């Protein structure tokens, strides 16, 4: 799941300042100054910013949405494609302007770019004061103190056990209804195109009971949907130190889903090699576990999948798709597809188009291959597909997916769905927006007395390739 590269973290929820599970001393928010934070990349990164917000508020920093008034500017970065890093470099130029206007302001780079570039980032970006990797956020207070004394701070140590389990994220990115919960960190998969194993380190699963406590706390505060996050949620495995029993992802889902039938559960991302029947059975057992699986194929061709080190082939992937629809015909499936991976032929590209048709994805995230330094693919294969060809293949993939999404949505016309209201629609405060179990956005006129966080029944009357339009029934 990748959020828009330039999405900012706004709507700071100041009422949640200073909430951390562990109980050491804290100072009042604002006593030390104000911080401004921007996040890029995946949902995990946005959730990490909420962990950072929690650490900062405990240190006496309060959030602010005007960067020109901030004492501390943080940018949580993504390295997944070259473009993501380019965008951050552009933003750093804007922060330079703030530093010129307000010379005492500190600038820190967090996240995957910090981890990938390490000291080089401090050398290249002269106005950056701190570079902090994804496993080093607890060290932020020390690094700030160091930077306040005029010494640049660097901590990019990766950890084998850090999960920030005891830190209750401050929900700076939230609509008050839906929240992300990180259940694991890192990735051991080594897909040949991917920089994540290098920037986020080894896979580790978080204490199941701390996840349960976080979900319960969210529910008690009115949240009605949690998304369990991990680079590869199906390999979640946590051993209970008390009885040495292992908790699997399916068991964790069951624990969280049992909190309350009104708490919806989503999860992301699933790896086709790891998703089990046990997970699919658990999804069927609980009405509040959403009928939606993000199951990235990356390519529809077996030779390319081998080069990508995905450890499954086209036939295996197709069997997984068949099994999901066999057990749950109402399940929506989405995907990630990469266009123009090293040595991909025209016929192999067509296999990616046909996998979209076969799997009938409700939607996909689609990308041009971007070579990342240090990855297996960069070291072993030539990035030999010309930019123009990558572009054209990507637009064919996008066109195919748009058509399939449109058909998928047209099939929903006339159906009635249970929808969780998330807030006003973008276009009008006379309309609600919300999603059904299949993760489809539905827009409908307000009727009766409802509020975000309520469930309503909505009948779909029409559909575009991106959205369903409907009307509330039994309001
Ligand atoms: N180039 C293009 N897309 C990539 N992704 C990961 N690495 C690359 C890369 N080097 C895509 C994959 C992944 C999603 C999060 O980003 O499709 O699933
Ligand atoms: Fe998330 Fe990967 Fe980007 Fe890091 S590189 S922010 S893990 S998408």
């Amino acid at each position: 799941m990748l959020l828009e590269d330039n999405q900012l973290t706004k709507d700071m929820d100041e009422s949640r300042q200073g909430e951390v599970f562990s109980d050491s001393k804290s100072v009042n928010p604002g006593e030390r100054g104000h911080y401004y934070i921007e996040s890029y990349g995946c949902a995990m990164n946005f959730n990490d910013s909420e962990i950072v917000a929690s650490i900062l508020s405990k240190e006496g920093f309060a959030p602010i949405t005007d960067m020109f008034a901030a004492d501390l500017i943080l940018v949580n970065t993504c390295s997944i494609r070259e473009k993501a890093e380019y965008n951050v470099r552009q933003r750093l130029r804007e922060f330079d302007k703030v530093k010129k206007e307000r010379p005492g302001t500190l600038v820190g780079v967090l996240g995957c770019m910090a981890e990938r570039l390490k000291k080089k980032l401090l050398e290249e970006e002269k106005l950056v004061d701190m570079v902090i990797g994804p496993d080093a956020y607890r060290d932020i207070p020390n690094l700030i103190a160091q930077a306040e004394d005029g010494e640049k701070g660097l901590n990019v140590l990766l950890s084998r056990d850090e999960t920030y389990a005891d830190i209750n994220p401050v929900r700076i990115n939230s609509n008050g209804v839906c929240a992300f919960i990180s259940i694991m960190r890192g990735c051991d998969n080594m897909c040949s195109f991917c920089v994540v194993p290098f920037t986020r380190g080894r896979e580790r699963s978080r204490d199941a009971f701390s996840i349960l406590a976080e979900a319960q706390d969210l529910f008690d505060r009115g949240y009605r949907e949690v998304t369990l996050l991990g680079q590869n949620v199906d390999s979640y495995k946590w051993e209970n130190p008390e009885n040495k029993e292992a908790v699997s992802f399916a068991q964790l889902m069951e624990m969280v889903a049992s909190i309350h039938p009104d708490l919806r559960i989503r999860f992301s991302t699933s790896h086709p090699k790891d998703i089990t029947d046990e997970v699919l059975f658990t999804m069927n057992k609980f009405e509040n576990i959403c009928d939606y699986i993000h199951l990235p194929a990356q390519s529809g061709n077996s030779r390319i999948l081998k080069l990508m080190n995905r450890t499954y082939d086209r036939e295996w992937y197709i069997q997984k798709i068949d099994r999901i629809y066999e057990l749950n015909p109402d399940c929506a499936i989405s995907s990630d597809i990469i266009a123009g991976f090293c040595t991909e032929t025209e016929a192999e590209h067509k296999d990616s188009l046909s996998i979209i048709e076969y799997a009938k994805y409700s939607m996909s995230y689609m990308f041009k291959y971007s070579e990342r330094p240090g990855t297996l693919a960069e070291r072993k294969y030539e990035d030999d597909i010309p930019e123009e060809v990558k572009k054209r293949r990507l637009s064919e993939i996008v066109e195919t997916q748009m058509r399939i999404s449109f058909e998928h949505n047209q099939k929903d016309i006339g159906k009635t769905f249970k929808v969780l209201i998330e807030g006003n629609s973008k276009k009008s405060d006379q309309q609600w927006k919300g999603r059904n179990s299949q993760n489809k956005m539905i827009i409908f006129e307000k009727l009766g007395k409802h509020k975000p966080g309520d469930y309503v029944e909505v009948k779909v009357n029409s559909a575009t390739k991106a959205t369903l339009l409907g009307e509330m029934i039994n309001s």
Side-chain angles (χ1 to χ4, degrees), residues 17-294:
Q17 293 310 300
E19 292 197 353
V20 180
F21 285 136
S22 61
D23 66 340
S24 48
K25 271 182 258 138
S26 64
V27 264
N28 289 329
E31 212 173 286
R32 295 273 306 280
H34 289 89
Y35 73 91
Y36 169 88
I37 189 164
E38 277 184 15
S39 306
Y40 295 80
C42 61
M44 184 78 79
N45 236 22
F46 281 70
N47 191 226
D48 276 3
S49 292
E50 299 181 330
I51 288 167
V52 170
S54 180
I55 292 170
L56 286 174
S57 69
K58 219 165 159 264
E59 283 298 303
F61 286 93
I64 199 165
T65 49
D66 175 10
M67 66 178 180
F68 283 92
D71 303 287
L72 176 63
I73 296 180
L74 297 172
V75 54
N76 199 349
T77 61
C78 173
S79 290
I80 202 121
R81 284 169 289 277
E82 205 179 345
K83 178 83 189 338
E85 290 202 358
Y86 174 81
N87 289 341
V88 168
R89 299 272 189 178
Q90 295 301 101
R91 277 310 278 166
L92 289 176
R93 299 291 73 77
E94 298 299 312
F95 301 153
D96 289 349
K97 289 182 196 155
V98 181
K99 284 198 92 159
K100 284 199 183 100
E101 263 189 39
R102 252 176 98 94
T105 305
L106 299 177
V107 172
V109 178
L110 317 177
C112 291
M113 240 175 117
E115 193 61 50
R116 194 180 83 72
L117 294 163
K118 302 185 171 64
K119 207 165 128 226
K120 217 167 127 204
L121 199 55
L122 282 176
E123 288 158 8
E124 288 170 0
E125 299 288 348
K126 296 281 181 248
L127 290 178
V128 168
D129 302 287
M130 296 171 289
V131 168
I132 309 161
D135 286 346
Y137 297 145
R138 287 182 202 270
D139 199 27
I140 287 179
N142 300 329
L143 295 167
I144 293 174
Q146 198 178 313
E148 280 172 344
D149 285 344
E151 199 186 323
K152 298 215 172 207
L154 176 77
N155 188 340
V156 287
L157 285 178
L158 285 174
S159 160
R160 280 186 173 261
D161 48 25
E162 178 62 273
T163 57
Y164 301 111
D166 58 323
I167 297 180
N168 196 7
V170 173
R171 303 290 166 181
I172 52 175
N173 304 312
S174 155
N175 55 10
V177 177
C178 312
F180 294 124
I181 300 182
S182 293
I183 63 163
M184 57 201 299
R185 299 180 72 82
C187 183
D188 284 350
N189 280 332
M190 297 307 266
C191 298
S192 66
F193 50 79
C194 191
V195 77
V196 173
F198 305 97
T199 61
R200 291 198 165 253
R202 300 303 301 266
E203 202 167 277
R204 63 220 100 119
S205 296
R206 176 179 163 189
D207 178 328
F209 295 111
S210 78
I211 297 168
L212 209 57
E214 189 174 333
Q216 178 73 57
D217 176 57
L218 285 164
F219 182 75
D220 294 344
R221 287 161 46 207
Y223 283 80
R224 289 296 173 264
E225 182 182 296
V226 293
T227 302
L228 307 178
L229 285 180
Q231 245 73 41
N232 182 8
V233 287
D234 297 285
S235 63
Y236 175 88
K237 198 171 178 203
W238 178 76
E239 190 180 280
N240 184 344
E242 305 226 315
N243 57 13
K244 299 285 169 218
E245 274 176 21
V247 177
S248 68
F249 179 58
Q251 288 164 330
L252 176 75
M253 254 198 330
E254 175 148 5
M255 286 160 74
V256 181
S258 302
I259 288 177
H260 198 282
D262 283 345
L263 182 66
R264 264 188 178 174
I265 319 299
R266 298 188 187 276
F267 55 91
S268 188
T269 296
S270 295
H271 194 301
K273 80 173 163 58
D274 292 321
I275 189 165
T276 58
D277 270 5
E278 195 198 356
V279 167
L280 302 178
F281 291 142
T282 307
M283 288 175 75
N284 278 358
K285 196 166 143 192
F286 288 87
E287 195 264 338
N288 55 329
I289 302 181
C290 291
D291 294 332
Y292 172 65
I293 302 176
H294 185 55

Side-chain angles (χ1 to χ4, degrees), residues 284 324-332 438:
N284 278 358
I324 293 168
Y325 286 140
E326 179 194 336
L327 291 178
N328 185 353
D330 291 332
C331 194
Q438 288 77 5

Side-chain angles (χ1 to χ4, degrees), residues 1-2 42 79-82 191-196 231 269 294 296-298 308 310 335-339 341 365-372 375 377:
M1 183 193 302
L2 219 70
C42 61
S79 290
I80 202 121
R81 284 169 289 277
E82 205 179 345
C191 298
S192 66
F193 50 79
C194 191
V195 77
V196 173
Q231 245 73 41
T269 296
H294 185 55
Q298 311 297 359
M308 287 177 161
R310 290 289 286 176
S335 188
D336 293 345
I337 309 271
I338 297 178
F341 187 66
Y365 298 96
M366 300 156 280
F367 314 101
K368 274 184 295 175
Y369 173 60
S370 164
E371 186 177 78
R372 305 312 291 133
T375 56

